[in-house]
Structure formats: structure tokens, C-alpha cells
Amino acid sequence: MLEKTTRVNYLYDFYHPLLTEKQRSYMSLYYLDDHSLGEIAEEYEVSRQAVYDNIRRTEAMLEEYEEKLGLFEKFQKRTKIMETMKQLVDSSPTVSKELVSLVDELEKVD
Amino acid sequence: MLEKTTRVNYLYDFYHPLLTEKQRSYMSLYYLDDHSLGEIAEEYEVSRQAVYDNIRRTEAMLEEYEEKLGLFEKFQKRTKIMETMKQLVDSSPTVSKELVSLVDELEKVD
């Protein structure tokens, strides 16, 4: 369950600009602010079921975007390579400071 | 004009999985295979104007995706950093082979 939540959070992070404002509100209240379905339903004056359906549909959309663009997968690959790179750079006394700062810069692009 | 074409080609590269099959066909015939609007219209048995409108709309969609996700912009930033990184790595005799291959690996992720 926790792993699923983490995945949804990442996908939300990458693809939320493609969602509607309502989808973003529900998702961010539910996943980021940890509100219950009932609380969101009350706030928006809709049924709990409507909130539930909207969130499930949004999750499916996020997975579909990931299937098409694979931004999370690429991010994971890049992160893994960068970690090895940083270890290597940190443990080598001969590596130039410039290279260290380039690795840092690269990390900030995502 | 050439610069615009290059930009559209890049945007197409990043976002084509989000387009419909017809949009992809028109775009790839027009931009990648250099067919004329008239030739595409003939092949699909639609008016030249219909093809033109579809391509213009698709270009606008690609720009909208770029505005939201910025994949091309991030790619350019990453490429620039990586180029400096490669020059630095190539010109330093003390840099380990592992680091060189990590830079190569990173380049392949995009």
C-alpha cells in the first residue's frame, strides 16, 4: 500500500500539469494532505463515491501517461546512474571541482 | 523556418505518444517524410485545408504539452551540462573509465 502511494505521488509529480484543476485538487487533498474521501466529499459538496471515482480515474490516467511517456521510469534510471556517479566522484581525490558541480547541476534539472 | 521545423521535430519526438494516430500520420508525413499538404490530402482523400488545419492544431497541442511538461527544455539543459561534462572527462587523464561510461549511459536515457 505504501509503495503504491509513493508511486502515485511520483506520477502525480510528473504529470499533474496535464490534469484538470478538480483532479489536481482531489489528488492533492487525498495523497499529499492525507484527507479522507469523506472529508473531500463534504468540502466539495459531492458524494463520497464521486470523489472515489474521480480519484481512481485520475490514477488510471496517470498510469496511462506513464505508459506513453515513461517520465518516472527515466527518472529512476537517471537517478541510479547519478548516484553511482556521485559516489565515484566523491571518492576520487583527483576529480575536479567543476565535475562535482556539473553532477549537482544535472541533478537539479529534474 | 528551418529552426521552427527543428523545434517541431523535437516536440514531436517527445510528445507523439500523446497524439492520435491520424495526427501522428499527418505530422510524420509532413515533417519527417517531407510530403506536401496536397500529397497527404490526396492519400487520405480529404481536402488540403483539412490536412493543414489538423497539422496546425497538432503543432499547437505540442507547444501546449511543452508549456506544461517542458521536456524539450529540460532535454536541452541536460544536453548542455552533459557536453561540458564529456569535454571535462575526455580531457582529464586521471578520470576513471567507469565515469566515462556512466556519462555515456546517462546520455542514452533520453
Side-chain angles (χ1 to χ4, degrees):
Chain A
M1 183 56 191
L2 193 65
E3 198 170 312
K4 184 169 186 298
T5 305
T6 310
R7 180 176 171 85
V8 174
N9 273 320
Y10 267 110
L11 295 183
Y12 181 78
D13 224 39
F14 285 111
Y15 301 111
H16 70 88
L18 300 178
L19 302 176
T20 67
E21 196 153 326
K22 195 167 92 180
Q23 286 175 319
R24 279 203 295 267
S25 301
Y26 285 5
M27 289 297 280
S28 108
L29 286 169
Y30 189 66
Y31 280 108
L32 307 179
D33 304 338
D34 200 33
H35 287 212
S36 71
L37 293 173
E39 285 168 335
I40 302 170
E42 205 167 313
E43 193 179 330
Y44 281 82
E45 297 180 347
V46 294
S47 70
R48 193 183 168 286
Q49 185 66 35
V51 177
Y52 177 84
D53 289 346
N54 188 297
I55 289 178
R56 284 292 100 88
R57 263 200 310 275
T58 306
E59 285 173 3
M61 276 181 72
L62 292 177
E63 288 291 352
E64 213 179 298
Y65 282 132
E66 174 63 8
E67 210 173 289
K68 288 178 175 171
L69 297 181
L71 299 185
F72 180 40
E73 197 191 333
K74 283 180 191 170
F75 168 79
Q76 285 175 302
K77 278 188 190 164
R78 233 180 261 125
T79 304
K80 211 177 150 198
I81 299 171
M82 301 270 292
E83 269 165 20
T84 319
M85 215 176 223
K86 281 179 85 169
Q87 278 168 13
L88 206 66
V89 161
D90 285 345
S91 68
S92 163
T94 56
V95 155
S96 76
K97 284 221 170 72
E98 204 183 338
L99 194 57
V100 178
S101 77
L102 283 171
V103 176
D104 285 343
E105 252 183 79
L106 204 53
E107 219 170 16
K108 281 183 205 130
V109 177
D110 263 315
Chain B
M1 183 57 190
L2 193 68
E3 198 172 310
K4 184 170 186 298
T5 306
T6 311
R7 180 177 171 84
V8 174
N9 273 320
Y10 267 109
L11 295 182
Y12 182 78
D13 222 42
F14 285 111
Y15 301 111
H16 70 88
L18 300 177
L19 302 176
T20 67
E21 196 151 328
K22 195 168 92 180
Q23 287 176 319
R24 279 202 295 266
S25 301
Y26 285 5
M27 289 296 280
S28 108
L29 286 170
Y30 189 67
Y31 280 109
L32 307 179
D33 304 338
D34 200 34
H35 287 212
S36 72
L37 293 173
E39 285 168 337
I40 302 170
E42 206 168 312
E43 193 179 331
Y44 281 83
E45 297 181 347
V46 294
S47 70
R48 193 183 168 286
Q49 185 66 36
V51 177
Y52 177 82
D53 289 345
N54 187 296
I55 288 178
R56 283 293 102 85
R57 263 201 309 277
T58 307
E59 285 173 5
M61 275 181 72
L62 292 176
E63 288 292 352
E64 213 180 300
Y65 283 132
E66 174 62 10
E67 211 174 288
K68 287 178 177 170
L69 297 181
L71 299 185
F72 180 40
E73 198 192 332
K74 283 180 193 170
F75 167 78
Q76 285 175 302
K77 279 188 190 166
R78 231 181 261 125
T79 304
K80 210 177 150 196
I81 300 171
M82 300 267 292
E83 268 166 21
T84 319
M85 216 176 220
K86 280 180 87 169
Q87 278 169 11
L88 207 66
V89 161
D90 284 346
S91 68
S92 162
T94 55
V95 154
S96 75
K97 284 221 172 70
E98 203 184 341
L99 195 57
V100 179
S101 78
L102 282 172
V103 176
D104 285 344
E105 251 183 79
L106 205 52
E107 219 169 15
K108 281 186 207 126
V109 176
D110 263 313

